[in-house]
Amino acid sequence: MFSKKFRNFLLFGCIAALFAAVGYWNISPERFLDKPPVSSVDTPIDWYATNTHTLQYLPDGKVQYEMTSDKAEHVKATDITLVTKPDLNMYRGTDFPWHVTSERGEVNSGGTEVELIDSVRVKRTDEKNRDTLITSTRMTVFPQQQYAQTEQPVRIDGAGGVSTGVGMKAYLKESRIHLLSNVRGQYEAR
């Protein structure tokens, strides 16, 4: 009744229509839109606090350090606390604390390590009213050991001059600072 050529055309037409229909329902335009990547690590905040204030005392009752921040958020998955505008005074049992500030910070679960990020400033005025100011973009502070370190560029203003370098180890209890590389200094002659 129908020619062989017409039957082949009709058969291939039906197959093409079937593929077109399957493609139409399986491929939607939304598939081609940019979607945010799905994170494999779930990092929900399990608690937060605003205007925080923390005091740590030495065994003899003197203040070891005092820390305030605008906001603290605890990440459950990593047990790290994210702080905004941390402000830390490390007294070391004396009346002349090291004053440490930055834009952001990350505190480990035991509070033994504070990673300071962006606009880090470490300042101290001693008993003779001399200022020492250390600035960097990132620094790790260990409050219990009264120690700070960084691998970033550092600037130290104080003692009648300015020192710069890359990398630093600061033993804050002894007021001893080691710049690790590319050290430059400029001092006033008296």
Side-chain angles (χ1 to χ4, degrees), residues 13-94:
C14 289
I15 292 173
L18 182 64
F19 279 125
V22 169
Y24 176 76
W25 280 292
N26 283 339
I27 300 175
S28 61
E30 292 83 25
R31 285 184 137 183
F32 299 105
L33 296 176
D34 288 336
K35 293 181 183 176
V38 177
S39 175
S40 61
V41 178
D42 190 20
T43 57
I45 304 296
D46 61 343
W47 62 260
Y48 76 94
T50 57
N51 299 319
T52 63
H53 184 241
T54 305
L55 275 171
Q56 175 73 33
Y57 291 95
L58 293 168
D60 64 2
K62 293 181 181 177
V63 176
Q64 181 177 10
Y65 70 86
E66 177 180 19
M67 183 173 148
T68 61
S69 70
D70 288 353
K71 186 174 186 180
E73 300 174 306
H74 185 260
V75 180
K76 185 177 183 179
T78 59
D79 202 18
I80 290 177
T81 304
L82 308 173
V83 291
T84 305
K85 299 275 189 189
D87 190 327
L88 175 70
N89 283 306
M90 293 193 311
Y91 285 93
R92 311 171 341 267
T94 70

Side-chain angles (χ1 to χ4, degrees), residues 145-186:
Q145 288 87 16
Q146 298 170 33
Y147 172 76
Q149 68 182 23
T150 185
E151 295 177 2
Q152 303 299 316
V154 176
R155 177 184 169 106
I156 302 171
D157 294 288
V162 175
S163 299
T164 60
V166 177
M168 176 198 72
K169 291 183 178 182
Y171 303 90
L172 302 174
K173 186 173 186 176
E174 297 93 25
S175 297
R176 189 169 40 113
I177 302 167
H178 296 278
L179 294 174
L180 303 179
S181 65
N182 298 336
V183 178
R184 303 268 188 263
Q186 181 178 357

Side-chain angles (χ1 to χ4, degrees), residues 118-121 134-139 150 152-155:
D118 297 331
S119 302
V120 180
R121 295 173 48 93
I134 305 168
T135 55
S136 184
T137 57
R138 192 173 188 109
M139 191 178 300
T150 185
Q152 303 299 316
V154 176
R155 177 184 169 106

Side-chain angles (χ1 to χ4, degrees), residues 92-161:
R92 311 171 341 267
T94 70
D95 295 329
F96 303 100
W98 284 93
H99 184 211
V100 182
T101 61
S102 71
E103 293 297 314
R104 299 179 296 124
E106 298 177 358
V107 182
N108 73 347
S109 62
T112 58
E113 183 177 328
V114 180
E115 182 73 23
L116 301 169
I117 305 162
D118 297 331
S119 302
V120 180
R121 295 173 48 93
V122 180
K123 184 177 181 185
R124 178 175 183 249
T125 302
D126 66 9
E127 58 276 350
K128 295 181 182 176
N129 208 26
R130 297 177 295 194
D131 289 333
T132 302
L133 174 64
I134 305 168
T135 55
S136 184
T137 57
R138 192 173 188 109
M139 191 178 300
T140 305
V141 177
F142 301 87
Q144 279 82 10
Q145 288 87 16
Q146 298 170 33
Y147 172 76
Q149 68 182 23
T150 185
E151 295 177 2
Q152 303 299 316
V154 176
R155 177 184 169 106
I156 302 171
D157 294 288

